[in-house]
Amino acid sequence: MSEEILIAYTWQDIERTLLLDKANWPKEWLGIEMYSRELILCVKDITEKTKQNGKAYLKKLFRQYFIEDEIVIKTTRTRITVLWEKSEEKAGTEALPQPLFKEFLYVNNENNIALKALEEEGVPVTAFHSYKGGVGRTLSMIAFVRNMIQEFQDSKKVLIVDSDIEAPGLTWLGQEQNGSVSISYLDILSIIGAKGEDDEVIENISHEVENSLLTFHTDKMEVSQYFLPTYRREEQLFDIYANPERIMAGESNKYIIVDVLSKLGAKLGVDMVLVDLRAGISEYSAPFLFDPRVSKFFITSTSNQSVYGTHLLLQQIGKQKGNGVTNILLTMVMKETFQGKERDDVYDVLLQGDRCGGGEDIADSIMQVDAVIEIEKSDKMIHLGNLNQICENLNSEPRVTDPIRNLVLEMFRGREKGTVPKYDEKTIARLKSCLHRIATENVTAEGADYSNLLATKSVLQLGSFTREIPKINVLGAKGSGKTYLYKQLLSSKNWDNFLKILDKKSQITEDVVICPVLCSEDRIHFQPLLAACRQYCTESLQAMKTDADILSQNERKVRYAISRMSGENEWQDLWDEIILGMFQNINSWNELDAYLGGIHKKAVFLIDGLETLFRNVMKDDAEKNGIRALCRGLINRLYEYQIDHAGIIIFVRKDIAELAVNANLAQFRDQYQRFELTWSQKDALMLAWKMADRAAKMSGVQWGEDDFPLNNATRAVLEQNLTKLWGKKMGSDASKNAITVRWVLASLSDFNGQLQARDIVRFLKFATADSNVERVQYYDRFLSPEDMRKAVKECSDQKLEEVEQEIHQLKNCFQILREVKQEDKQVPLNERVMDRLGSEEQKALERYGYLKEADGEYYIPESVRYALGYNKSKRGGIKLVSLLVDG
């Protein structure tokens, strides 16, 4: 018992205090019996030691109230005598609590009970509950039924039960629509109290219920559903013969109320029983709340009273193993104000009641956050008339109906039986093998070209050059797709072909030839692309030299220059010499421009692979000058000389460009920002789907074609398509697990909402590494949760290594985080860790998306958490979901 002040007025306070402290009872105690004037302690043997131990415990627990052998409450002049009674009950045996609040209040440990599945003799039961009234509980159920009809027309049927004894709203709506009925929920309780679970009686009841209907309508059709109102005569409300406590007192099956309703639903031929429960902590609702077989929707507004009350309910049902809510519907949300700390605080309180969230990866936290469904406040739903009017308002209020639509689909499609496995082991292994090959050969972008160009927003900007040729820098982080884009330009050979890939049409009348100047040194795998592009260049531009090793010659010139040059002017001359030197008898840009104009051609020169040539930009001023002379000086000269027939695209790693172009850096960034290869989460999903779709075609897997250009697909379409690859959830689709796409994005993204092309390609490479047919777990997808969890950890190690190589400012930051003691490696980061990170390190990590402050606490993303060896707290995991995943 805690050291809080003990206040007692009656014998009930004494009993409650004892039961709440049951875990600390003396080991000799087997139980207690509490009466208004006596406390009987049941023990195996009555000995002096047993009495002394008992008295010492009672004195410690009740303090001033325990006087000699009595408990004395002076305020109410109450005296309770303590007696000892020998009990024959075997020590250690304990009856399971009945599904009532007053019983689960005193349960300290997780309670387990084995119950037969409702579907064995009945149908699923789903309950709608709220701590407070007036938060939209009944409206949510109506919207659920209306959405069911919208999705399934009349092919799905439900039995709706109004068990709200004190405020039977559905019953009133039913009376207005259909008048009187012949049977009610209170009748059912009375029949159970008198007859128990009698199949013949349930059959007879079903015939009465068949005549009781509620009619709902969408914008297209009307459908009636079976309805069991709270009462058939108002007098039943004032003189209730049977309630859950009385029924349980006379029944060995304490879960009989749910069992009977489930069987009644089966007799009626419905797919599900929906129950609108009494709000608050009510024993009329308890049989449904403390039955782990019942799916439960908890409805709450954003008000503190409603949120904390819901948390209280979640704590209680969490004492029962396997019990919990299906979803929490957060209603009356005002999006413009329900943000930031206010929103986080509400989620924190609601999700504290869930026992999940402390898993190794972020899946449990995503599952928790996704369990909360926000429903916006709607003025149309403030004043509700009859059921027809409510349905009419719902038909024109997608802000209310759309969030519930997904719940309906999950509840019904997840329960459909007889689904044949979609793919066999060999098919799964074949596609995984093809996808692994594609990912492996493309993870560094130097592999064979299996995937078509992914038209991200920045790539599409290149499509704006339909009337003139580009003279630009294309910046991007390592792995952002610079070499992917370079390869696509090579394969296009001319600008017109490249624009066609982007669904653009060139307005340039001349043939614009694409001419590689420098290339990644790891180009052996796409050497055929280079050779074909070079051949097109020499055939189109007769003055161009045909040397097969001309790119290697250019690389040698740059390496030689690095060892002997220092000034920016010298570098400018060298870059002119390298490009112009690829032609015979051309010595200036004006001569080249005149030559190209004379043959009605234009040329766009490509430069890539600078990071492999300029390896010491951070320390070497000569290298800085070389990069600056190219990225700024050469492009400026093309404009100054008014060169119309020659352009250039320079692919340069962003960190190298920023180190070299130190003067007017902001202006340089702004000039080329729209061409920077940044990857949104949607872009990453599109790349994943393109690679998966390519693998499907290679392996002969048929999964349908989109009837519109993929580059125009919405994020929702991409997410739906990818369920074919990795499933809807990190478990079976009907399970209460994290949604896979959210888990993937949260595991790979940084706090700037970005993940590079290489991140998703590498993830697919590792996730498809094991194609052993004997380890297939799921037949409706190709990547298992086990495959993906393993892949994320391997990705994290390589991601951290790459970031440290690429962003020199972060190397020391990560080293500090590595050297932290293991007991301090927790997310959010504790004060000791933050103290070790200086202000400059914190700023650097935040700038590049590897540190985020939220509500005074600091977080690192999942993409590096594994590699750094940090664990996440439950609270940290929930916060990470909101920080890492868009939408």
Side-chain angles (χ1 to χ4, degrees):
M1 192 75 182
S2 66
E3 294 301 315
E4 65 184 35
I5 297 173
L6 177 64
I7 298 175
Y9 295 110
T10 66
W11 64 270
Q12 289 97 336
D13 291 325
I14 301 301
E15 180 183 43
R16 185 179 299 113
T17 302
L18 278 166
L19 291 174
L20 286 172
D21 200 49
K22 190 174 182 179
N24 298 315
W25 284 1
K27 62 182 181 180
E28 300 90 351
W29 290 17
L30 302 179
I32 66 168
E33 293 178 12
M34 191 78 216
Y35 302 98
S36 60
R37 297 184 180 277
E38 291 180 345
L39 166 61
I40 300 175
L41 304 176
C42 304
V43 296
K44 188 175 182 180
D45 294 303
I46 302 174
T47 65
E48 191 60 31
K49 182 179 179 182
T50 298
K51 288 185 175 182
Q52 291 302 320
N53 288 342
K55 290 179 180 180
Y57 169 75
L58 292 172
K59 184 62 179 177
K60 182 179 179 182
L61 182 66
F62 291 114
R63 304 164 203 166
Q64 75 275 15
Y65 295 106
F66 187 70
I67 302 172
E68 295 182 356
D69 288 339
E70 288 185 324
I71 296 171
V72 180
I73 305 173
K74 295 180 180 179
T75 304
T76 54
R77 300 168 62 188
T78 301
R79 304 182 76 89
I80 301 170
T81 303
V82 178
L83 302 173
W84 309 85
E85 185 176 285
K86 187 174 181 178
S87 175
E88 298 298 325
E89 183 182 357
K90 293 182 179 178
T93 61
E94 185 174 348
L96 290 169
Q98 298 178 33
L100 295 168
F101 280 105
K102 70 176 186 179
E103 298 245 347
F104 272 89
L105 171 65
Y106 304 113
V107 173
N108 295 313
N109 300 316
E110 191 178 69
N111 183 266
N112 190 15
I113 183 169
L115 297 169
K116 68 178 181 181
L118 292 175
E119 289 84 347
E120 286 185 20
E121 298 182 35
V123 297
V125 176
T126 297
F128 289 73
H129 186 62
S130 62
Y131 176 74
K132 278 181 92 269
V135 297
R137 182 191 70 251
T138 301
L139 177 62
S140 297
M141 176 187 272
I142 294 172
F144 185 94
V145 177
R146 179 254 172 216
N147 276 36
M148 179 191 75
I149 297 169
Q150 183 83 20
E151 295 299 324
F152 300 103
Q153 290 77 49
D154 59 355
S155 66
K156 299 290 183 185
K157 288 285 187 180
V158 292
L159 166 62
I160 300 167
V161 180
D162 187 358
S163 74
D164 188 348
I165 306 298
E166 296 180 26
L170 280 172
T171 299
W172 296 330
L173 293 173
Q175 283 180 334
E176 190 170 11
Q177 192 178 81
N178 298 310
S180 62
V181 294
S182 61
I183 194 165
S184 68
Y185 178 62
L186 287 174
D187 288 324
I188 298 289
L189 292 183
S190 296
I191 293 168
I192 293 173
K195 293 293 184 178
E197 189 177 355
D198 187 308
D199 285 348
E200 186 176 344
V201 172
I202 296 173
E203 175 75 34
N204 294 335
I205 292 171
S206 71
H207 298 316
E208 298 295 331
V209 178
E210 285 175 345
N211 300 315
S212 178
L213 302 171
L214 272 182
T215 302
F216 299 78
H217 71 86
T218 67
D219 54 353
K220 294 180 179 179
M221 66 186 307
E222 283 188 358
V223 178
S224 295
Q225 305 292 339
Y226 296 118
F227 177 51
L228 195 59
T230 303
Y231 60 85
R232 57 185 164 79
R233 297 180 59 179
E234 290 180 350
E235 290 82 358
Q236 287 182 294
L237 289 174
F238 299 98
D239 186 14
I240 298 174
Y241 293 139
N243 60 37
E245 294 175 79
R246 292 176 189 168
I247 290 172
M248 290 178 200
E251 277 288 337
S252 59
N253 176 12
K254 308 303 179 184
Y255 295 82
I256 188 172
I257 296 174
V258 171
D259 285 343
V260 167
L261 288 178
S262 175
K263 284 185 175 182
L264 178 59
K267 298 288 187 185
L268 291 165
V270 302
D271 297 280
M272 187 179 294
V273 176
L274 303 180
V275 187
D276 189 20
L277 299 178
R278 174 66 201 139
I281 300 172
S282 167
E283 299 296 17
Y284 280 100
S285 300
F288 300 91
L289 299 178
F290 291 107
D291 190 328
R293 302 169 302 173
V294 174
S295 299
K296 289 170 273 288
F297 293 115
F298 277 14
I299 293 85
T300 175
S301 69
T302 59
S303 72
N304 286 340
Q305 183 184 8
S306 183
V307 169
Y308 279 95
T310 303
H311 165 71
L312 187 64
L313 291 167
L314 287 167
Q315 282 186 316
Q316 292 304 307
I317 69 171
K319 294 178 179 180
Q320 194 172 34
K321 188 174 182 179
N323 201 1
V325 291
T326 305
N327 287 98
I328 298 171
L329 305 186
L330 193 59
T331 60
M332 305 181 190
V333 172
M334 300 178 68
K335 294 286 188 181
E336 61 275 12
T337 58
F338 188 59
Q339 300 174 354
K341 189 175 185 304
E342 179 187 353
R343 183 175 185 270
D344 290 340
D345 287 347
V346 168
Y347 273 69
D348 194 37
V349 173
L350 289 175
L351 299 180
Q352 280 178 13
D354 196 310
R355 302 175 75 89
C356 301
E360 183 183 7
D361 68 20
I362 203 168
D364 286 343
S365 302
I366 293 174
M367 178 186 71
Q368 285 186 287
V369 173
D370 287 348
V372 181
I373 308 296
E374 294 185 16
I375 300 176
E376 288 189 60
K377 183 180 180 182
S378 168
D379 292 340
K380 291 181 181 180
M381 311 313 296
I382 292 176
H383 175 72
L384 300 177
N386 59 38
L387 187 54
N388 291 335
Q389 291 171 330
I390 294 172
C391 288
E392 191 66 38
N393 288 347
L394 287 172
N395 288 337
S396 59
E397 190 46 280
R399 290 180 300 174
V400 175
T401 58
D402 283 356
I404 295 177
R405 174 181 178 272
N406 290 330
L407 302 183
V408 170
L409 293 176
E410 282 198 22
M411 290 295 288
F412 286 100
R413 287 181 179 167
R415 297 176 185 273
E416 289 177 353
K417 298 178 180 179
T419 303
V420 179
K422 209 169 187 181
Y423 310 106
D424 59 33
E425 290 92 340
K426 290 183 179 179
T427 302
I428 292 172
R430 194 164 63 246
L431 184 137
K432 286 179 72 174
S433 178
C434 289
L435 184 52
H436 183 70
R437 177 185 168 194
I438 294 170
T440 300
E441 293 185 345
N442 284 276
V443 74
T444 57
E446 281 82 24
D449 188 50
Y450 281 110
S451 298
N452 292 327
L453 175 68
L454 178 63
T456 62
K457 185 177 180 180
S458 51
V459 172
L460 287 172
Q461 289 296 323
L462 291 177
S464 64
F465 291 101
T466 58
R467 298 181 182 277
E468 59 180 350
I469 53 177
K471 302 179 181 75
I472 59 172
N473 290 287
V474 174
L475 280 64
K478 186 173 183 178
S480 61
K482 297 185 301 297
T483 305
Y484 279 105
L485 182 53
Y486 184 97
K487 284 164 55 179
Q488 194 66 48
L489 285 162
L490 289 180
S491 65
S492 298
K493 299 178 185 175
N494 67 32
W495 194 249
D496 186 49
N497 289 337
F498 178 72
L499 289 177
K500 287 177 181 176
I501 298 173
L502 302 177
D503 293 324
K504 300 287 186 178
K505 186 176 181 180
S506 176
Q507 303 299 318
I508 303 171
T509 56
E510 302 95 332
D511 180 21
V512 182
V513 182
I514 291 173
C515 306
V517 178
L518 288 172
C519 181
S520 168
E521 63 181 9
D522 301 319
R523 55 181 175 265
I524 185 170
H525 293 295
F526 62 92
Q527 192 65 45
L529 278 179
L530 272 171
C533 188
R534 280 280 301 146
Q535 182 179 349
Y536 185 81
C537 289
T538 55
E539 290 174 354
S540 302
L541 309 174
Q542 297 293 320
M544 180 169 277
K545 295 176 181 177
T546 59
D547 303 22
D549 67 337
I550 196 161
L551 269 70
S552 296
Q553 292 177 33
N554 292 341
E555 286 176 356
R556 286 195 295 272
K557 291 176 183 178
V558 173
R559 288 196 179 94
Y560 180 72
I562 288 173
S563 66
R564 68 180 181 86
M565 287 186 179
S566 59
E568 194 170 335
N569 290 335
E570 293 177 286
W571 276 106
Q572 288 181 357
D573 292 340
L574 176 72
W575 292 121
D576 289 349
E577 176 190 328
I578 286 175
I579 297 175
L580 298 175
M582 297 175 70
F583 295 86
Q584 301 174 30
N585 303 319
I586 291 179
N587 300 305
S588 72
W589 284 104
N590 287 326
E591 287 182 17
L592 177 61
D593 198 44
Y595 163 72
L596 292 171
I599 62 172
H600 302 290
K601 301 282 185 181
K602 293 192 177 190
V604 173
F605 298 103
L606 302 184
I607 293 181
D608 188 25
L610 294 173
E611 61 265 33
T612 60
L613 294 170
F614 296 85
R615 297 177 183 273
N616 297 302
V617 178
M618 185 172 70
K619 299 178 181 178
D620 193 327
D621 288 338
E623 292 195 10
K624 288 189 178 82
N625 289 334
I627 296 291
R628 191 161 53 246
L630 174 66
C631 296
R632 175 170 279 171
L634 178 56
I635 291 177
N636 285 344
R637 285 201 305 285
L638 292 180
Y639 281 108
E640 289 166 2
Y641 296 157
Q642 297 183 359
I643 304 301
D644 295 324
H645 294 85
I648 191 168
I649 299 177
I650 303 167
F651 294 94
V652 58
R653 218 169 68 191
K654 185 179 179 181
D655 60 304
I656 291 176
E658 291 181 350
L659 283 168
V661 186
N662 45 20
N664 297 321
L665 178 59
Q667 181 183 4
F668 180 80
R669 281 183 188 151
D670 291 343
Q671 188 174 358
Y672 301 110
Q673 184 178 19
R674 66 190 178 112
F675 306 113
E676 185 177 330
L677 293 176
T678 56
W679 283 71
S680 68
Q681 293 182 344
K682 179 191 171 185
D683 294 333
L685 296 179
M686 189 175 290
L687 177 59
W689 175 244
K690 278 202 160 190
M691 296 181 72
D693 195 42
R694 175 62 181 162
K697 289 180 171 64
M698 289 174 61
S699 59
V701 172
Q702 301 294 322
W703 55 23
E705 296 284 344
D706 291 308
D707 55 4
F708 53 86
L710 183 59
N711 288 335
N712 296 334
T714 64
R715 176 165 169 168
V717 168
L718 294 171
E719 291 182 2
Q720 181 60 39
N721 283 359
L722 282 164
T723 61
K724 302 169 187 175
L725 175 67
W726 53 38
K728 183 176 181 180
K729 294 186 177 181
M730 294 294 286
S732 67
D733 284 358
S735 67
K736 190 176 167 70
N737 278 291
I739 295 173
T740 305
V741 66
R742 286 169 62 77
W743 178 86
V744 170
L745 293 175
S747 299
L748 300 179
S749 298
D750 62 29
F751 289 133
N752 291 333
Q754 296 181 12
L755 62 164
Q756 305 300 348
R758 183 168 300 167
D759 297 327
I760 198 73
V761 176
R762 182 164 46 211
F763 170 75
L764 293 175
K765 170 192 170 184
F766 288 134
T768 54
D770 183 3
S771 58
N772 188 341
V773 296
E774 295 179 359
R775 296 184 61 185
V776 173
Q777 293 176 293
Y778 299 91
Y779 294 89
D780 61 343
R781 68 194 72 179
F782 295 89
L783 303 185
S784 71
E786 181 185 353
D787 289 332
M788 294 186 286
R789 285 192 170 97
K790 183 179 178 183
V792 161
K793 294 178 182 179
E794 294 178 281
C795 287
S796 182
D797 291 334
Q798 293 196 10
K799 179 68 174 180
L800 182 60
E801 183 180 340
E802 280 183 1
V803 172
E804 287 182 309
Q805 290 175 359
E806 177 187 348
I807 309 174
H808 65 92
Q809 300 99 315
L810 298 185
K811 190 167 186 177
N812 184 54
C813 305
F814 287 129
Q815 190 58 36
I816 292 171
L817 291 173
R818 271 198 193 92
E819 293 172 352
V820 168
K821 293 180 180 178
Q822 190 57 49
E823 58 264 31
D824 284 333
K825 288 188 173 183
Q826 287 286 332
V827 177
L829 307 181
N830 64 32
E831 289 184 11
R832 290 184 294 275
V833 175
M834 293 307 298
D835 287 343
R836 294 194 63 177
L837 283 172
S839 60
E840 290 303 314
E841 285 83 5
Q842 291 180 32
K843 288 178 183 177
L845 286 168
E846 286 185 287
R847 176 187 168 193
Y848 289 101
Y850 292 98
L851 185 71
K852 186 79 170 181
E853 185 273 334
D855 301 335
E857 296 181 313
Y858 288 85
Y859 298 82
I860 55 175
E862 292 286 279
S863 58
V864 296
R865 179 177 69 81
Y866 290 107
L868 291 170
Y870 279 67
N871 300 314
K872 66 172 181 64
S873 68
K874 177 180 173 181
R875 184 181 77 259
I878 292 169
K879 174 61 71 174
L880 277 168
V881 176
S882 64
L883 296 176
L884 288 168
V885 186
D886 297 338

